[in-house]
Amino acid sequence: MNINDACDYIILKLTHGGVFLNVLKLHKLLYYCQAWNLAFGRGRLFDASFQAWVHGPVSRDIYDRYVSTKAMYSNVTPADVRPNFDPQSLEQNDRALIDSILEVYAPLSGDQLEEMTHKEDPWIKARAGVSPSARSENMISDVVMRDYYAARIKRV
């Protein structure tokens, strides 16, 4: 799977379910899908990384996909899905993982998800030494993501 497949799947799943989605929230949901897939020992869900931006983790690929048509707080709708995307083309176990992440995180707003990421080690460590309001393209480490969220599994 690539990140655009996961992106389109999330858009369709949430908007068809009547859940509000904006670009900010979409970035955070993609981040949590990647993070938990790493934590469960499955490796990367898709071949994309996240940067530690002021508003939390951001995928440069998804940012670039929407930069000419949307701002961070713009609504995302099924019209934003690639024309030939087929949700059934994704592996069943990958859809199940995304669905489980959406069950937990989709009820939250983009602002709530941003606030959560700001309290978690992967984003904090990637922003080390960067002023809170300064622009940063520092990469969030897959290893730090994996270790941080895997440790949360063990505490449950």
Side-chain angles (χ1 to χ4, degrees):
M1 165 180 349
N2 66 55
I3 194 166
N4 286 295
D5 294 333
C7 176
D8 289 341
Y9 181 81
I10 290 170
I11 293 169
L12 292 177
K13 185 81 174 180
L14 293 186
T15 58
H16 288 156
V19 177
F20 175 77
L21 182 64
N22 64 19
V23 175
L24 176 75
K25 183 173 178 174
L26 180 59
H27 281 281
K28 305 312 164 259
L29 293 172
L30 288 163
Y31 167 78
Y32 280 120
C33 288
Q34 184 82 303
W36 284 108
N37 206 64
L38 289 164
F40 292 135
R42 295 181 46 184
R44 286 177 154 210
L45 181 62
F46 40 75
D47 189 22
S49 297
F50 291 85
Q51 297 176 345
W53 286 24
V54 169
H55 293 288
V58 170
S59 160
R60 175 57 77 171
D61 295 326
I62 299 304
Y63 174 82
D64 289 346
R65 175 175 168 176
Y66 291 118
V67 68
S68 65
T69 59
K70 300 206 176 281
M72 274 297 195
Y73 291 96
S74 298
N75 292 356
V76 181
T77 70
D80 297 308
V81 172
R82 294 167 299 157
N84 296 325
F85 174 70
D86 176 10
Q88 296 304 312
S89 68
L90 303 183
E91 296 287 331
Q92 202 290 328
N93 60 339
D94 291 337
R95 291 194 313 268
L97 178 277
I98 295 171
D99 290 347
S100 68
I101 299 307
L102 295 179
E103 187 175 317
V104 173
Y105 293 99
L108 303 172
S109 71
D111 290 331
Q112 288 171 311
L113 293 170
E114 174 183 335
E115 186 178 330
M116 284 174 54
T117 62
H118 285 200
K119 295 176 181 175
E120 297 172 339
D121 284 353
W123 183 84
I124 292 169
K125 288 183 177 185
R127 298 260 326 164
V130 177
S131 166
S133 61
R135 185 174 188 273
S136 169
E137 293 185 352
N138 294 351
M139 301 306 288
I140 298 175
S141 163
D142 284 357
V143 172
V144 174
M145 288 167 63
R146 180 198 67 212
D147 293 349
Y148 178 79
Y149 294 102
R152 292 178 68 186
I153 295 168
K154 294 173 185 169
R155 285 187 272 167
V156 175

